[in-house]
Amino acid sequence: MEVRKMNIIKYLNFLRSPTNGSELSVDENGLLDKQGNRFDIKDDIPRFVEKINYADSFGYQWNIFDKVQLDRFSSHDLTSKRFYKNTGWTNKILENKDLLEVGSGAGRFTEILLKTKANLYSIDYSNAVEANWRNNKDTRDFFIAQADIYNLPFKKYSFDYVFCFGVIQHTPDPKMSFSKMVEFLKPGGEIAIDVYLKNWKSIFVTKYWVRPFTKKMKKEKLLKLVEWYVPKWFPFSTLLLKIPLAGKFLAQIIPILNYSEHFPELSKKELIDWAILDTFDMLSPAYDKPQTLKTLRKWAVTSNLEIIYCGRGDNGYVLVAKKPEH
Ligand SMILES: C[S@@+](CC[C@H](N)C(=O)[O-])C[C@H]1O[C@@H](n2cnc3c(N)ncnc32)[C@H](O)[C@@H]1O
C-alpha cells in the first residue's frame, strides 16, 4: 500500500519560523528559516520544539491509547457531538476555510475536522502528533506539526477559525496561551476553546489533592498503578455514582474518571478503557489550571473579541468569540 506523505511545499505559504517569524524553505534536511535556524522533519512531521518538554506524559498516553476516544474506532459519535454542539460551527461555514487546531492529542477532533471541507492545520507540543498522523493521514491532506502554542510556526492573521479543546488548562499560562492563539486569527475569524471549570466546589475535587504527588511520578509507574486500581475500584465508584443527590460528590473522592452516568452508550469495556486513559490524563500532566467563567470573559474582552458564547460545555466551560472585522 502506498504510504501517504505530507506535501509540505503546499503549506509553506502559511508557515513561518517560530523563532523569528521569517519565511521557511524546505530541503532534504528539513525546514530552514531566513536566519539559518533548522527544524527537523521526522517521520514526515515537522518538529518545531525541543525533544523533551513538559507535555511528555501526553505524548506517552496518546501513543498508547491512540484509538480509544476516536469516534471511528469506538463506533460512537461522542467527539462529533461535542464538537458541533460546543462550537456552534457547521460544515457549511467551515467549507474552504483555514482552520488551526491547537493541542490535537491523538486526533479525536482532527478526525471530525477532516470530515469538513476546511483546510486543516493541526499542532501539538508532544509527540502525540505521531499518533494523530497514524490515525488520520489516510483520510485526506492536512498539515500537522509538533509545535508550541507559545511559538506557533504560522503567519499571523491567517486563520478563519482556531479550535482548541482540552488544552489550555494544561499549559503553564492559560491566559497567555489564549492571547497567543488570537494573534493568528484573521479579522472576522472565530476562536473556540474549552477549559476545565473552576468554582467553589473545586476544592473538594480529589485530583487536586493527589496531583502534587502523581505528577512527579515516573509516567510508566503511574500508568501501571492506574491500570491496577481503576478496574478494581470502578464497580464501587459506579455504585457511589448511583446514590441520589450526593452520588457525584461521593464518587469523585475515588480518583477515577467514571463516565458510566455521563456516557451510558459506552460498553463496559469501553468505560474501563476510557477510565484508565482519563484517570492517567488527570493525574499525570505537569499543569492543570481550571478557570472561572469570569476569567474566560475577561480574556475575550482583553483581546478585543466579541463573545458569541461563554458558558457551560461538555467538558467544563466553553468560549466562542470573534475578532472584529476592523
Ligand atoms: C488533554 S490533551 C487533549 C487533546 C485533544 N485536544 C483531545 O481533546 O483529545 C491536551 C493536549 O494539549 C497538548 N499541549 C499541552 N501544552 C501545549 C502547548 N504548549 N502547545 C501545544 N499543545 C500543548 C498536550 O500535548 C496534549 O496532547
Side-chain angles (χ1 to χ4, degrees), residues 54-55 58 62 69 82 101-105 108-109 123-126 128 147-150 165-167 170-171 281:
Y54 74 78
F58 284 114
W62 291 127
Q69 294 182 333
R82 181 169 150 206
E101 179 190 23
V102 178
S104 51
R108 65 189 289 198
F109 289 104
I123 67 106
D124 195 284
Y125 196 27
S126 73
D148 182 7
I149 200 167
Y150 298 112
F165 268 27
V167 178
H170 295 305
T171 61
D281 180 284

Side-chain angles (χ1 to χ4, degrees), residues 12 15-26 31-39:
L12 278 182
L15 298 184
R16 290 293 179 271
S17 167
T19 318
N20 52 49
S22 68
E23 287 181 12
L24 294 171
S25 55
V26 65
L31 289 155
L32 183 69
D33 74 14
K34 293 274 187 252
Q35 292 180 5
N37 298 303
R38 281 212 163 271
F39 306 97

Side-chain angles (χ1 to χ4, degrees), residues 4-50:
R4 185 190 268 273
K5 302 278 281 175
M6 195 194 307
N7 179 3
I8 303 230
I9 293 175
K10 179 174 155 189
Y11 300 106
L12 278 182
N13 196 23
F14 258 77
L15 298 184
R16 290 293 179 271
S17 167
T19 318
N20 52 49
S22 68
E23 287 181 12
L24 294 171
S25 55
V26 65
D27 62 21
E28 65 279 5
N29 295 317
L31 289 155
L32 183 69
D33 74 14
K34 293 274 187 252
Q35 292 180 5
N37 298 303
R38 281 212 163 271
F39 306 97
D40 283 349
I41 300 176
K42 186 173 161 264
D43 300 330
D44 212 21
I45 304 170
R47 316 283 176 147
F48 294 101
V49 303
E50 56 281 30

Side-chain angles (χ1 to χ4, degrees), residues 73-141:
F73 297 110
S74 72
S75 64
H76 301 292
D77 58 355
L78 297 174
T79 304
S80 168
K81 273 195 199 142
R82 181 169 150 206
F83 172 74
Y84 289 108
K85 184 174 138 208
N86 289 227
T87 59
W89 297 346
T90 61
N91 287 0
K92 191 155 189 271
I93 62 163
L94 294 179
E95 197 168 331
N96 298 323
K97 296 295 189 319
D98 298 314
L99 193 160
L100 171 63
E101 179 190 23
V102 178
S104 51
R108 65 189 289 198
F109 289 104
T110 311
E111 179 187 51
I112 309 305
L113 296 168
L114 286 170
K115 287 186 185 156
T116 73
K117 293 200 173 115
N119 309 315
L120 180 61
Y121 295 75
S122 181
I123 67 106
D124 195 284
Y125 196 27
S126 73
N127 70 351
V129 286
E130 290 160 21
N132 189 346
W133 190 233
R134 266 196 313 277
N135 281 332
N136 291 309
K137 67 172 191 271
D138 292 324
T139 321
R140 68 168 171 87
D141 256 357

Side-chain angles (χ1 to χ4, degrees), residues 51-312:
K51 279 203 175 76
I52 295 177
N53 62 50
Y54 74 78
D56 284 353
S57 68
F58 284 114
Y60 178 69
Q61 109 188 14
W62 291 127
N63 276 292
I64 294 175
F65 302 101
D66 54 348
K67 311 252 181 299
V68 174
Q69 294 182 333
L70 269 78
D71 281 359
R72 122 169 142 269
F73 297 110
S74 72
S75 64
H76 301 292
D77 58 355
L78 297 174
T79 304
S80 168
K81 273 195 199 142
R82 181 169 150 206
F83 172 74
Y84 289 108
K85 184 174 138 208
N86 289 227
T87 59
W89 297 346
T90 61
N91 287 0
K92 191 155 189 271
I93 62 163
L94 294 179
E95 197 168 331
N96 298 323
K97 296 295 189 319
D98 298 314
L99 193 160
L100 171 63
E101 179 190 23
V102 178
S104 51
R108 65 189 289 198
F109 289 104
T110 311
E111 179 187 51
I112 309 305
L113 296 168
L114 286 170
K115 287 186 185 156
T116 73
K117 293 200 173 115
N119 309 315
L120 180 61
Y121 295 75
S122 181
I123 67 106
D124 195 284
Y125 196 27
S126 73
N127 70 351
V129 286
E130 290 160 21
N132 189 346
W133 190 233
R134 266 196 313 277
N135 281 332
N136 291 309
K137 67 172 191 271
D138 292 324
T139 321
R140 68 168 171 87
D141 256 357
F142 71 105
F143 175 82
I144 192 164
Q146 191 174 353
D148 182 7
I149 200 167
Y150 298 112
N151 295 292
L152 289 166
F154 301 107
K155 193 157 77 174
K156 292 201 173 156
Y157 312 108
S158 311
F159 293 97
D160 301 289
Y161 291 90
V162 174
F163 172 77
C164 181
F165 268 27
V167 178
I168 271 196
Q169 63 266 355
H170 295 305
T171 61
D173 182 346
K175 180 179 180 216
M176 168 90 87
S177 304
F178 180 76
S179 57
K180 282 282 171 194
M181 290 189 290
V182 170
E183 291 175 11
F184 291 83
L185 271 182
K186 282 180 191 167
E190 283 183 28
I191 181 167
I193 62 159
D194 81 357
V195 60
Y196 292 166
L197 63 82
K198 181 166 144 190
N199 57 26
W200 64 270
K201 289 185 250 173
S202 302
I203 183 136
F204 300 111
V205 179
T206 318
K207 75 164 169 175
Y208 292 117
W209 294 91
V210 296
R211 273 185 38 76
F213 307 100
T214 56
K215 72 178 184 185
K216 291 198 189 115
M217 284 175 73
K218 275 207 152 114
K219 49 190 185 311
E220 295 82 2
K221 255 198 177 156
L222 177 62
L223 180 59
K224 270 210 173 108
L225 178 68
V226 168
E227 282 178 324
W228 175 76
Y229 83 78
V230 167
K232 274 196 183 18
W233 296 357
F234 191 85
F236 182 52
S237 142
T238 306
L239 215 67
L240 288 179
L241 272 176
K242 289 194 191 311
I243 297 173
L245 299 175
K248 225 171 146 187
F249 175 74
L250 292 172
Q252 66 82 31
I253 293 171
I254 305 177
I256 288 183
L257 261 177
N258 184 333
Y259 295 110
S260 54
E261 297 289 304
H262 205 63
F263 300 135
E265 59 269 65
L266 293 178
S267 69
K268 261 192 185 154
K269 183 184 176 307
E270 285 173 324
L271 281 170
I272 299 278
D273 288 348
W274 281 56
I276 290 173
L277 164 57
D278 275 351
T279 302
F280 180 82
D281 180 284
M282 81 177 176
L283 298 180
S284 58
Y287 304 101
D288 184 326
K289 301 186 169 192
Q291 304 294 323
T292 64
L293 213 46
K294 201 169 151 198
T295 304
L296 250 63
R297 274 198 210 101
K298 224 165 104 203
W299 290 353
V301 171
T302 316
S303 294
N304 294 320
L305 301 181
E306 297 159 10
I307 295 175
I308 297 171
Y309 176 78
C310 188
R312 282 303 285 259

